[in-house]
Amino acid sequence: MSLLTVGSVAFDALETPFGKTDKIIGGAATYITLAASYFTKQNNLVAVVGGDFPKEMIGLLEEHGVSTEGLEVKQDGKTFFWSGKYHADMNTRDTLETQLNVMADFDPVIPKSYQGTEFLMLGNTVPATQKLVIERMAQRPKLIMLDTMNLWMNIALEDLHAVLKLVDVLTINDEEARQLSGEYSLRKAAVKIMGMGPKTLIIKKGEHGALLFQEDRIFFAPALPLEEVFDPTGAGDSFAGGFIGYLASTDDISFENMKRAIIYGSAMASFCVEKFGTERLVNLTEAEIKDRVQQFVNLSSFEIR
Amino acid sequence: MSLLTVGSVAFDALETPFGKTDKIIGGAATYITLAASYFTKQNNLVAVVGGDFPKEMIGLLEEHGVSTEGLEVKQDGKTFFWSGKYHADMNTRDTLETQLNVMADFDPVIPKSYQGTEFLMLGNTVPATQKLVIERMAQRPKLIMLDTMNLWMNIALEDLHAVLKLVDVLTINDEEARQLSGEYSLRKAAVKIMGMGPKTLIIKKGEHGALLFQEDRIFFAPALPLEEVFDPTGAGDSFAGGFIGYLASTDDISFENMKRAIIYGSAMASFCVEKFGTERLVNLTEAEIKDRVQQFVNLSSFEIR
């Protein structure tokens, strides 16, 4: 089945305890489509960049089977830019600079050829824009997944609630789940958030794994303990891309298959953090992914007698 | 097989966001032996209390099959007392007061009837005292497990290293693993710590589960997402007690069985935190434990196709 991802394609400048980058390619939709490309072959992208965005990178996305028909290039504009610095624990970071640039008035146009896409992934961006995308789909996708962040809870909560009513799967991190629900217990938080619209909730806990909630079912996927976390940027988006890419490729949205999808998503996130930016995500092999997923099986399987 | 636990039996006074207690019964060895009592029937205790320690509590331990022959009562002394206050996140706490009292010169005497015990659990206490216990065992137990804390890394590191050389399993939390090894990555930390003596390392991550390391094998056990964590005191000790109690009851120290033991330990910890102090641990049924372990199976099982 086909996947449509809407979100940012951007420049990032990063500083981690392991080093510093100049402007490198980032953005939620970049990580999502790259991660999903290892699963689904119909990988559609709606995003906007400026004239400063390198053509080679667009070519690289296309090489990964990503359709860039929906990637608008505003020749006289500048690409969205974010720079951040990670703390020693790699779980927290400070934003040093955000330049919205062409994202400031992102008006997502869905190409005709994308209409009918079965799986829709709304990367983290302005909630009103995410809602607009859903409204612009001629028929409702089979599954709509949304990522968001604390910023929108602070400055656009009403819009966020409006779009939450329309989606099937929400992914947020643990602190955001607590903020959105006003509950400290993630189990209580999940019940409240699922009451806001999404029937399925994924709470990402970074190096502590991820929780999948649906009705009264809970599944926990560990994160792989890595020798080194080099750069956490894009981990959550790679996770989302692996998750929805796997769902789209199998066309199975049962809870059992979502459990598998979370493991694939976690595997993609574990690759992502091993190098700066998208470096590790752009040249994975099927054998590497299979081997990594097997590591998750080994890590978490046990048998009660 | 039989288990010997050496450690503190104490009074605690606790403050959590959910309430406050007066002096209640606590201490590492109390939680360990109570948790282990659901698995092993030969449950030996070496500890010291003062004349102020309630006889009913000693009776309660005995009702749970704990042998108190090795529980020294110093009639003219006072029982070890600790009071602490948990922060809102329940993962961190401040010590308000510590009165060592009779623990200040704890001289663990191993009753003759305890000699030959196959499984030895050294609860968190002065490393030199832990080493003394090992030296006082006429024959080396089949498995020696040790719990410790950051305090001893700060004030008795040399003694800690000396006893670490003698044990099979070490349990510490993630921050302590980082402190002891000087490595941030838990995977790297584990390799260094296993080089200090213990062939098996358990890193406890509280609400984020636990990692089991042995040679190049890793197993991760999630913590159960609970509606409410009422009082985290004793969770780590209940975990250790369930773990070693299960190992002793099955007399199987293979890695596969340790994985099961970690799940049983995690189940005991999940019960412990549901009420203040030992309240929940003292009246569990086999059916409750079986049901809780099944929840762990449901939480973490998946199948890759």
Side-chain angles (χ1 to χ4, degrees):
Chain A
M1 295 287 127
S2 54
L3 168 67
L4 167 58
T5 301
V6 185
S8 58
V9 171
F11 287 126
D12 291 340
L14 310 167
E15 209 178 317
T16 81
F18 297 101
K20 234 179 126 154
T21 67
D22 287 328
K23 272 190 186 180
I24 58 171
I25 304 298
T30 309
Y31 286 101
I32 293 166
T33 52
L34 282 174
S37 75
Y38 293 95
F39 304 98
T40 177
K41 299 302 157 211
Q42 291 166 279
N43 203 347
N44 300 325
L45 170 65
V46 166
V48 60
V49 292
D52 55 348
F53 195 77
K55 288 208 173 48
E56 312 85 75
M57 191 57 204
I58 299 178
L60 192 66
L61 287 170
E62 285 166 352
E63 273 169 40
H64 280 80
V66 179
S67 160
T68 58
E69 190 188 340
L71 178 66
E72 186 187 356
V73 182
K74 285 197 172 167
Q75 288 302 344
D76 55 347
K78 283 178 72 184
T79 301
F80 176 54
F81 172 72
W82 175 81
S83 86
K85 183 180 172 167
Y86 288 87
H87 301 166
D89 71 0
M90 288 291 217
N91 259 345
T92 51
R93 66 187 186 190
D94 293 326
T95 289
L96 300 176
E97 197 180 346
T98 306
Q99 297 173 13
L100 284 179
N101 299 333
V102 294
M103 278 296 278
D105 44 16
F106 177 36
D107 182 30
V109 176
I110 318 291
K112 246 192 197 142
S113 67
Y114 290 4
Q115 292 293 352
T117 299
E118 288 95 347
F119 289 78
L120 174 60
M121 175 70 219
L122 300 164
N124 173 38
T125 187
V126 186
T129 306
Q130 294 176 315
K131 185 157 173 273
L132 207 57
V133 172
I134 298 175
E135 289 161 359
R136 287 179 179 177
M137 297 297 286
Q139 77 195 75
R140 190 191 190 280
K142 181 171 179 171
L143 187 98
I144 303 177
M145 176 158 159
L146 180 137
D147 184 33
T148 188
M149 72 186 293
N150 51 1
L151 173 68
W152 312 118
M153 299 172 196
N154 297 334
I155 68 170
L157 186 60
E158 212 173 304
D159 288 351
L160 179 60
H161 276 296
V163 69
L164 281 182
K165 288 196 178 73
L166 307 176
V167 308
D168 302 299
V169 184
L170 171 65
T171 95
I172 44 178
N173 72 30
D174 43 0
E175 281 323 302
E176 290 157 355
R178 286 173 172 138
Q179 179 174 348
L180 185 59
S181 65
E183 292 285 350
Y184 187 80
S185 152
L186 293 181
R187 198 157 174 162
K188 285 188 175 176
V191 171
K192 276 207 181 170
I193 293 169
M194 288 188 288
M196 297 173 189
K199 286 211 175 80
T200 305
L201 172 66
I202 298 171
I203 299 182
K204 298 171 288 183
K205 306 202 298 171
E207 62 157 331
H208 301 302
L211 285 160
L212 170 69
F213 294 89
Q214 190 183 80
E215 293 167 7
D216 58 354
R217 292 184 287 253
I218 312 181
F219 173 66
F220 176 80
L224 207 62
L226 296 167
E227 290 268 339
E228 218 65 277
V229 172
F230 201 76
D231 170 21
T233 311
D237 295 314
S238 305
F239 172 86
F243 177 83
I244 199 160
Y246 182 80
L247 288 186
S249 73
T250 52
D251 191 25
D252 173 357
I253 58 171
S254 68
F255 190 73
E256 282 307 308
N257 203 49
M258 283 192 182
K259 284 158 67 169
R260 277 186 281 277
I262 286 240
I263 298 295
Y264 280 96
S266 302
M268 299 315 283
S270 78
F271 284 122
C272 176
V273 302
E274 288 179 344
K275 298 244 170 119
F276 267 123
T278 57
E279 209 179 324
R280 189 76 181 87
L281 273 194
V282 292
N283 54 12
L284 288 169
T285 65
E286 268 189 39
E288 283 176 314
I289 295 171
K290 204 178 157 190
D291 176 72
R292 186 60 59 97
V293 166
Q294 187 57 44
Q295 290 182 46
F296 278 87
V297 174
N298 297 345
L299 180 68
S300 55
S301 64
F302 63 92
E303 216 174 300
I304 295 296
R305 285 196 289 219
Chain B
M1 294 287 128
S2 54
L3 169 65
L4 166 59
T5 301
V6 184
S8 59
V9 170
F11 287 127
D12 290 340
L14 310 168
E15 210 177 316
T16 81
F18 297 101
K20 233 179 126 153
T21 67
D22 287 329
K23 273 190 185 181
I24 59 171
I25 304 298
T30 310
Y31 286 100
I32 294 167
T33 52
L34 282 173
S37 75
Y38 293 95
F39 303 98
T40 178
K41 300 302 157 213
Q42 291 165 279
N43 203 346
N44 299 326
L45 170 65
V46 165
V48 60
V49 293
D52 56 348
F53 195 77
K55 289 210 174 45
E56 313 85 74
M57 191 57 204
I58 298 178
L60 192 67
L61 287 170
E62 285 166 352
E63 274 169 39
H64 280 79
V66 179
S67 159
T68 58
E69 191 189 340
L71 179 64
E72 185 188 358
V73 182
K74 285 197 172 166
Q75 288 302 344
D76 56 347
K78 283 178 72 184
T79 300
F80 176 55
F81 171 72
W82 175 81
S83 86
K85 183 179 173 170
Y86 287 87
H87 301 166
D89 71 0
M90 288 291 217
N91 260 344
T92 50
R93 66 187 185 190
D94 293 326
T95 289
L96 300 177
E97 196 181 347
T98 305
Q99 298 173 10
L100 282 180
N101 298 333
V102 294
M103 277 297 275
D105 43 17
F106 177 37
D107 183 30
V109 176
I110 318 293
K112 246 194 198 141
S113 68
Y114 289 6
Q115 292 293 352
T117 299
E118 288 95 348
F119 288 79
L120 173 61
M121 175 68 218
L122 300 164
N124 172 37
T125 188
V126 186
T129 306
Q130 295 176 314
K131 185 157 174 273
L132 207 57
V133 171
I134 298 176
E135 288 162 357
R136 288 179 178 177
M137 297 297 286
Q139 76 195 77
R140 192 192 188 277
K142 182 172 178 170
L143 187 98
I144 303 177
M145 176 158 159
L146 180 137
D147 185 33
T148 189
M149 71 186 293
N150 51 2
L151 173 67
W152 311 119
M153 298 171 197
N154 296 334
I155 69 169
L157 186 60
E158 211 172 307
D159 288 351
L160 179 60
H161 276 296
V163 70
L164 281 183
K165 287 197 179 71
L166 307 177
V167 307
D168 302 299
V169 184
L170 170 67
T171 96
I172 45 178
N173 73 29
D174 43 0
E175 282 322 302
E176 290 157 355
R178 286 173 171 138
Q179 179 173 349
L180 184 59
S181 65
E183 292 285 349
Y184 186 80
S185 151
L186 293 181
R187 198 154 172 165
K188 286 188 176 177
V191 172
K192 276 208 181 169
I193 293 169
M194 288 188 288
M196 297 173 188
K199 285 213 174 80
T200 305
L201 171 68
I202 298 171
I203 298 181
K204 299 171 286 184
K205 307 201 298 171
E207 62 157 331
H208 301 304
L211 285 160
L212 169 69
F213 295 89
Q214 190 183 80
E215 291 167 9
D216 58 353
R217 292 183 287 252
I218 311 181
F219 174 66
F220 175 80
L224 206 62
L226 296 167
E227 290 269 338
E228 218 66 276
V229 171
F230 202 75
D231 170 20
T233 311
D237 295 314
S238 305
F239 172 86
F243 177 83
I244 199 162
Y246 181 79
L247 288 186
S249 74
T250 52
D251 191 25
D252 173 356
I253 58 172
S254 69
F255 190 73
E256 282 308 307
N257 203 50
M258 283 192 182
K259 284 159 68 170
R260 277 186 281 277
I262 285 241
I263 298 297
Y264 279 96
S266 302
M268 299 315 283
S270 77
F271 284 123
C272 176
V273 302
E274 288 180 344
K275 298 243 169 119
F276 266 124
T278 57
E279 210 180 323
R280 190 75 181 89
L281 273 194
V282 292
N283 54 14
L284 289 169
T285 65
E286 267 189 41
E288 282 177 313
I289 295 171
K290 203 178 158 189
D291 175 72
R292 186 59 61 97
V293 166
Q294 188 56 45
Q295 289 183 46
F296 277 87
V297 174
N298 297 344
L299 179 69
S300 55
S301 64
F302 63 92
E303 217 174 298
I304 295 296
R305 286 194 288 218

